[in-house]
Amino acid sequence: MNKNFSFVRLLCFLVPGMLMNCSVEQNSFTSNIFHNTTAHFNGYYYAREKTKEVEKIIFKSLDDDPNQILRLYPKLDTILAKTYSKDTEEIIKMASISIQRHPNSKWVDDNYVLVGKARLFASDFQNAIQTFKYVNTKSPDANTRHAALVQLLRTFTEQNDYDRAEETFRFLEKEKLSKVNRKDLYLGKAYYYQVRNNYDYMVRNLASADSLLQHNDQKGRIYFLIGQIYQKLGFDAEAFNYYRKCVATHPDYEIDFYARLNMAQVARLDDKKDIKRLRDQFGKMLTDTKNIEFVDKIYYELGEFERKQGNLKQAVSSYISAAHAGTNKRIQGSAYLRIGQLEFDSLKKYSLAKLYYDSAIAALPKDFENYEAIKKRQEILGEFAKYTEAISWNDSLLALSAFDSLTLRVQLDSLVASRKSVEVIKKKKKRTYQSSEGSQNSSFFNTESSGTSDWYFGNPSAVALGQSEFKRIWGAIPLEDNWRRSNKTSVISDLTTPVAKTDKPKQPTTAETKTPDAPDEVGKLLLQIPRTAEQKAAALAKIEEGYFMLGDLYYFQLNEKENASESYAALLKRFPGSEFEPEVLYKLYLISREKDLAKAEQYATLLKTKHPQSTFTRILVNPDYLKETSVAAEKQKLIYKEAYAFYQANNLRQAQEKIRLALQEGDTGFTPQLELLKILIVGKTEDVTRYQYELGEYIKKYPDGELKPYAEQLLASSKTLLEKLERSKGIQFNSSMEGPHNFVIVYNTNDKITNPVSTAIEKYNATQWKELKLNTSNIIFNDDKTITVVIELPNREAALSYFDKFLAQIAITKPLSNYKFYSFVITKDNFQLFYRTKSLDEYLTFFDRNYQKQNQ
């Protein structure tokens, strides 16, 4: 374009006075020609060409996976922008120079559009937005304004500002656009809908852009993308048409290859000729050397084709070939997944399906479609195999336990020796091949021989087991030489180093090779056979649980009610009186109710007769039982909110009253929360001893409750705090003996006299101290001792009178006369210290000094 620029200069030089008219300020005819021509063929032209180069760089960053729906535009980001930052800076520089030197030319707004695109490509979204908005408000040319708004739509989409993006294209839809701007608008909207995962509207806009596309718009790629979306949405006929249009544009080889494969997926197979034609096409693709890197994909699509025709054996064979024909993990994982699905859904071979699902999860990337659902099924199959194997294995061990060890050892040794001899024969057997061509060893050409057990890769069980076992031991390692060695360079050096001649190595003796401490195969098995009653009971418990869990897996996860019924029935038959019986009877009732009402009634009768208090019986009798219980729980939750608000406001009496009302609603799943709040109020209204006691009782009552850890934390914190306080000041009982007292009896827990002692004390209180209305409590003191406490005597004198009469009248009678015990009186404050510190000996000394001697 320098030639054009020189031509303009020549015109200015030849025409007298023209150079004067070419100044920036002039607006003459000759000046306009000069500035328009110079602005277009210098700054604008170079900026536009550089923009095209940047667009090519960005499109090259697309990592297209034709197995997934292609991305219409690459995702812009700052990391990618760094690779072409100099180019975007050059675009801005050239366009800016053109604007500054030729401000009156008609290319100013077009240069601003290029500046905005450069900022968009550089991920400088805010400045790009300002630039496009400036062009929209200042440009007198409608096409330029529309072009700026189309780029503004792209910018908002990249910025995830979907509301403003939609406002932009809604406005443009009302405008009269040129063909180029209308095409760009359709593509911009399609990209917006792709980012929003709205494939319906995406394909509508791409189809609308079809007639406006030019060859430089990568028509073949867009047609392929349209075909993919139609195929995803289930419009196979439309997908087929666009795949065919894609092939007609002669796109890149990979796109052409996948378009032809996908045409086979969506083609209508109305008769056998169509099926034969497609099989021939697969055969040609397999033998075409250009497709060598796509062999795994071809086999996979062949498997899909056979699966749709109902040829499951041929489909599995093709999937196996796909899994071993290449290194593409996505295809490999998809092939294993398909086999697992067939074994699971169609063939009902769950153990084998589990192996293939294991291999699929190991190979598939985590962004694979429905990965979480696939993983969930794999985990279910793992549970299924676990319980199936537990039943069969423990049954076998129990059967072997009926034999004496010597007889069993002889039989097992013979069996192992026989098996090893068969393995030796198999290893010596030579393998032969039907054809010298590698492609003819495939499942496609050898459908009969590939399925035999002699060929390893034709045995799905062997392949799946081998794959799973290899990855379990070695992990996902690349296929390369010396894969077991961590330092592969040493292997190369070893190969190149001359080996010196040595004497014939000494053969190791049997004693050297044998590991005497390692048990042999038979020995390991013998160690696992249950011999004692406890071991047999443990094996039976595993079988019992296995039947129950298998029934649940069949019933809830696999939705196979007949198989579930068989598992449950086997459990009841083999383990009458099982702890699972109430639940199993109820589930059998539900299953039978759908087909056999008489049988269902039998199960219902058994449940009501044998387990009348079971929750399942209550549900059977009252189908609304859970609902009603749930209603009560909801009422409790509402009252709990009020009670907790009073608790936080320190209105403890009102909080206690609310909790009392809530507990009257009955025992529900929310009751533990209410009881724990009640204990928290105890911690504020009563002594710490009572608080710790109530927490301990709560933990015992709800050993599996959700709030148990919190209760344990509260108890531990309370004990720790008190211990710290006691350690900081030592154990010092209060010498003041004014105020209420408690009477305490301490005795050994193992004597089991709590109830007789309590009865004797209560009788003593009722006959001689009735007017004081005394209460009696039993508390665990420590691991060895229990205390019975009488609460509360009004003062020291009354307490000592109670103590003296107790020694004279009660202590000398049974049951106390037969056991060792301690008795004393203690103030309420000292009792709290006594209980926290467990300082029995210290208080007995304190009691002797401060009560006994003074009393004398």
Side-chain angles (χ1 to χ4, degrees):
M1 289 298 102
N2 285 333
K3 182 177 181 181
N4 292 310
F5 180 61
S6 300
F7 172 70
V8 174
R9 293 182 62 187
L10 178 61
L11 285 175
C12 292
F13 178 77
L14 293 175
V15 178
M18 187 173 286
L19 285 174
M20 289 293 294
N21 294 330
C22 291
S23 65
V24 172
E25 292 79 10
Q26 293 294 326
N27 194 24
S28 62
F29 175 75
T30 54
S31 177
N32 289 338
I33 293 176
F34 172 79
H35 287 295
N36 286 333
T37 307
T38 307
H40 179 259
F41 289 108
N42 280 308
Y44 174 76
Y45 172 81
Y46 288 122
R48 186 185 66 189
E49 294 303 307
K50 185 62 71 174
T51 301
K52 292 179 180 178
E53 292 178 13
V54 172
E55 287 176 335
K56 289 180 180 178
I57 294 172
I58 293 172
F59 263 97
K60 284 183 179 178
S61 69
L62 271 173
D63 185 17
D64 279 343
D65 180 6
N67 294 296
Q68 306 295 318
I69 291 180
L70 300 184
R71 192 179 177 91
L72 183 59
Y73 292 139
K75 176 67 177 175
L76 299 177
D77 58 63
T78 53
I79 297 175
L80 176 64
K82 289 179 182 179
T83 61
Y84 51 77
S85 58
K86 291 183 179 179
D87 294 322
T88 52
E89 291 171 3
E90 185 69 15
I91 294 169
I92 296 173
K93 177 182 176 182
M94 296 301 298
S96 299
I97 290 174
S98 179
I99 293 169
Q100 293 167 5
R101 293 184 180 178
H102 312 287
N104 295 325
S105 75
K106 63 181 181 181
W107 298 101
V108 170
D109 296 333
D110 298 270
N111 278 301
Y112 272 119
V113 173
L114 293 179
V115 170
K117 291 180 73 173
R119 287 171 174 169
L120 168 62
F121 295 154
S123 295
D124 184 5
F125 299 129
Q126 291 302 324
N127 284 324
I129 290 170
Q130 294 301 321
T131 304
F132 293 135
K133 285 184 175 180
Y134 175 81
V135 175
N136 181 51
T137 56
K138 299 295 184 181
S139 177
D141 182 63
N143 287 335
T144 306
R145 293 198 305 271
H146 295 156
L149 288 176
V150 169
Q151 296 303 320
L152 185 62
L153 165 61
R154 169 84 183 274
T155 308
F156 284 143
T157 304
E158 292 290 349
Q159 205 179 20
N160 299 330
D161 190 347
Y162 303 124
D163 291 337
R164 290 202 287 175
E166 185 169 354
E167 289 176 10
T168 303
F169 71 68
R170 293 299 180 201
F171 172 79
L172 285 170
E173 287 173 346
K174 301 174 184 177
E175 296 288 299
K176 187 176 181 180
L177 306 178
S178 66
K179 287 186 177 181
V180 173
N181 284 333
R182 192 159 72 251
K183 174 197 70 177
D184 291 341
L185 173 61
Y186 286 137
L187 295 177
K189 287 170 62 181
Y191 180 61
Y192 164 85
Y193 285 119
Q194 183 176 34
V195 173
R196 303 297 302 276
N197 292 319
N198 190 332
Y199 291 108
D200 184 15
Y201 280 91
M202 179 188 180
V203 78
R204 292 186 190 186
N205 282 279
L206 288 177
S208 298
D210 182 4
S211 60
L212 303 171
L213 294 174
Q214 302 295 322
H215 182 71
N216 58 0
D217 292 319
Q218 295 186 318
K219 291 175 66 175
R221 187 176 183 277
I222 292 177
Y223 287 153
F224 181 79
L225 175 55
I226 296 174
Q228 284 185 308
I229 300 173
Y230 274 130
Q231 185 177 358
K232 179 181 179 66
L233 296 176
F235 298 103
D236 288 351
E238 292 295 327
F240 184 87
N241 291 335
Y242 273 98
Y243 285 138
R244 186 168 56 186
K245 290 176 72 173
C246 169
V247 172
T249 62
H250 305 290
D252 294 341
Y253 180 74
E254 186 174 18
I255 295 294
D256 180 90
F257 169 79
Y258 278 94
R260 295 178 187 276
L261 272 185
N262 292 353
M263 284 174 69
Q265 293 179 14
V266 297
R268 292 183 61 183
L269 304 175
D270 295 327
D271 54 43
K272 294 182 178 180
K273 290 183 179 179
D274 293 332
I275 296 175
K276 184 179 184 303
R277 176 174 53 80
L278 282 175
R279 280 207 177 97
D280 291 340
Q281 181 176 328
F282 278 116
K284 291 177 182 178
M285 295 175 78
L286 282 170
T287 56
D288 190 342
T289 56
K290 291 188 297 183
N291 296 333
I292 189 168
E293 62 178 302
F294 301 118
V295 170
D296 53 352
K297 178 63 177 177
I298 298 171
Y299 275 124
Y300 180 80
E301 294 301 333
L302 177 58
E304 292 285 271
F305 172 78
E306 296 292 359
R307 179 178 63 85
K308 290 178 181 178
Q309 304 310 308
N311 304 322
L312 300 187
K313 183 177 180 181
Q314 290 85 343
V316 169
S317 184
S318 295
Y319 289 136
I320 290 174
S321 298
H324 295 88
T327 58
N328 188 313
K329 289 294 182 183
R330 187 177 290 271
I331 295 176
Q332 187 182 68
S334 298
Y336 285 132
L337 175 62
R338 275 287 188 246
I339 302 173
Q341 289 171 338
L342 290 177
E343 299 290 353
F344 184 93
D345 297 318
S346 302
L347 304 176
K348 309 298 182 185
K349 297 179 180 179
Y350 299 115
S351 297
L352 191 56
K354 193 263 181 188
L355 297 175
Y356 281 110
Y357 266 91
D358 287 345
S359 299
I361 287 297
L364 288 174
K366 291 187 177 180
D367 62 350
F368 189 80
E369 186 177 6
N370 295 325
Y371 180 85
E372 290 303 321
I374 296 167
K375 187 169 179 59
K376 182 180 179 182
R377 179 176 274 198
Q378 178 237 1
E379 291 169 353
I380 291 171
L381 285 171
E383 289 292 301
F384 191 91
K386 169 186 172 183
Y387 294 115
T388 304
E389 292 168 5
I391 292 173
S392 60
W393 177 248
N394 284 284
D395 270 336
S396 299
L397 291 179
L398 288 169
L400 292 175
S401 67
F403 295 91
D404 65 89
S405 300
L406 182 60
T407 304
L408 190 60
R409 179 81 199 204
V410 172
Q411 291 182 351
L412 290 176
D413 282 338
S414 175
L415 181 63
V416 171
S418 173
R419 189 182 65 186
K420 287 183 177 180
S421 64
V422 172
E423 290 176 356
V424 170
I425 294 172
K426 284 186 177 180
K427 287 180 181 179
K428 292 180 179 180
K429 192 175 181 180
K430 295 182 179 180
R431 291 182 176 150
T432 59
Y433 295 91
Q434 299 291 331
S435 173
S436 60
E437 294 184 11
S439 62
Q440 291 182 352
N441 288 327
S442 70
S443 61
F444 182 76
F445 291 97
N446 292 326
T447 56
E448 294 182 1
S449 63
S450 63
T452 62
S453 60
D454 290 337
W455 188 51
Y456 173 78
F457 291 109
N459 188 333
S461 301
V463 171
L465 183 60
Q467 180 87 2
S468 179
E469 185 67 10
F470 182 87
K471 288 186 177 180
R472 183 185 68 79
I473 298 173
W474 299 103
I477 60 174
L479 181 62
E480 58 184 3
D481 293 338
N482 305 306
W483 53 271
R484 287 176 294 180
R485 293 179 181 264
S486 59
N487 185 1
K488 298 175 180 58
T489 55
S490 64
V491 179
I492 299 174
S493 61
D494 290 344
L495 293 174
T496 56
T497 304
V499 180
K501 292 183 178 180
T502 60
D503 296 333
K504 185 176 180 180
K506 180 183 177 182
Q507 295 294 330
T509 64
T510 304
E512 291 173 336
T513 58
K514 186 176 180 181
T515 307
D517 295 333
D520 60 352
E521 187 176 353
V522 175
K524 289 180 181 179
L525 177 59
L526 291 173
L527 291 174
Q528 297 181 63
I529 296 175
R531 295 295 182 185
T532 66
E534 292 79 8
Q535 291 173 340
K536 291 179 180 179
L540 288 169
K542 291 178 182 178
I543 297 171
E544 181 182 2
E545 182 191 20
Y547 278 121
F548 178 77
M549 296 304 297
L550 280 179
D552 279 359
L553 288 172
Y554 274 126
Y555 191 14
F556 297 112
Q557 303 294 345
L558 305 179
N559 196 29
E560 296 185 11
K561 295 179 181 179
E562 291 299 326
N563 287 331
S565 181
E566 289 179 8
S567 292
Y568 290 143
L571 169 63
L572 295 179
K573 182 178 180 180
R574 187 164 180 182
F575 300 97
S578 167
E579 63 175 311
F580 301 114
E581 189 173 67
E583 185 174 354
V584 168
L585 286 171
Y586 180 69
K587 289 174 181 174
L588 285 170
Y589 162 76
L590 294 178
I591 295 171
S592 302
R593 189 175 58 176
E594 298 177 4
K595 292 184 177 181
D596 191 342
L597 291 176
K599 195 171 186 180
E601 190 58 34
Q602 290 178 7
Y603 288 125
T605 303
L606 281 173
L607 179 58
K608 288 184 285 187
T609 303
K610 300 181 71 173
H611 307 280
Q613 300 301 320
S614 168
T615 300
F616 296 99
T617 305
R618 294 175 181 177
I619 297 172
L620 179 68
V621 174
N622 178 15
D624 294 329
Y625 172 77
L626 291 178
K627 183 179 179 181
E628 292 172 359
T629 306
S630 176
V631 171
E634 291 301 319
K635 288 183 181 179
Q636 288 179 334
K637 290 177 183 178
L638 293 174
I639 301 174
Y640 176 86
K641 288 182 180 179
E642 297 177 16
Y644 191 73
F646 284 130
Y647 171 78
Q648 287 185 311
N650 209 35
N651 296 328
L652 302 181
R653 286 188 179 276
Q654 291 174 296
Q656 284 178 320
E657 179 61 22
K658 289 293 181 182
I659 293 174
R660 185 185 67 78
L661 291 174
L663 290 174
Q664 287 178 354
E665 293 293 330
D667 190 11
T668 71
F670 195 72
T671 301
Q673 282 89 329
L674 291 167
E675 293 189 356
L676 186 59
L677 180 57
K678 184 178 179 181
I679 294 172
L680 293 176
I681 295 174
V682 169
K684 287 192 173 186
T685 57
E686 300 188 33
D687 59 71
V688 70
T689 304
R690 186 71 182 181
Y691 173 65
Q692 292 181 355
Y693 171 76
E694 293 294 344
L695 283 173
E697 292 300 307
Y698 179 90
I699 293 167
K700 294 177 185 176
K701 187 175 181 180
Y702 301 107
D704 301 319
E706 294 181 0
L707 294 176
K708 179 191 173 186
Y710 179 58
E712 290 176 333
Q713 182 182 353
L714 290 174
L715 182 59
S717 299
S718 177
K719 290 181 178 180
T720 302
L721 177 62
L722 291 176
E723 287 173 2
K724 288 182 179 179
L725 290 174
E726 295 303 332
R727 281 196 295 269
S728 65
K729 63 181 182 181
I731 301 174
Q732 296 181 357
F733 292 106
N734 191 346
S735 59
S736 174
M737 288 168 279
E738 299 298 326
H741 280 60
N742 295 335
F743 173 76
V744 180
I745 304 174
V746 184
Y747 47 86
N748 293 327
T749 303
N750 290 336
D751 290 341
K752 298 180 180 180
I753 59 172
T754 301
N755 290 334
V757 168
S758 297
T759 302
I761 292 294
E762 288 173 355
K763 185 176 181 181
Y764 171 60
N765 292 341
T767 55
Q768 301 192 38
W769 304 92
K770 185 177 180 180
E771 70 280 1
L772 295 181
K773 297 180 180 179
L774 302 174
N775 294 318
T776 305
S777 295
N778 299 309
I779 303 174
I780 300 297
F781 184 66
N782 55 30
D783 293 339
D784 301 321
K785 297 187 182 301
T786 299
I787 60 176
T788 297
V789 184
V790 177
I791 309 168
E792 61 185 23
L793 296 158
N795 50 49
R796 175 179 181 274
E797 289 73 19
L800 287 174
S801 175
Y802 185 99
F803 174 73
D804 291 339
K805 289 183 178 180
F806 169 81
L807 292 178
Q809 300 176 19
I810 308 301
I812 59 176
T813 62
K814 293 182 179 180
L816 291 173
S817 60
N818 295 334
Y819 298 96
K820 180 179 180 182
F821 66 92
Y822 303 96
S823 61
F824 50 84
V825 294
I826 185 170
T827 63
K828 289 184 67 175
D829 291 340
N830 282 341
F831 179 79
Q832 293 184 30
L833 179 60
F834 160 75
Y835 184 78
R836 290 197 304 269
T837 58
K838 312 301 181 190
S839 49
L840 176 61
D841 293 336
E842 289 83 354
Y843 186 77
L844 288 173
T845 302
F846 176 85
F847 175 73
D848 184 56
R849 290 176 181 175
N850 291 276
Y851 288 90
Q852 298 284 66
K853 290 184 178 180
Q854 290 183 16
N855 198 31
Q856 294 174 359

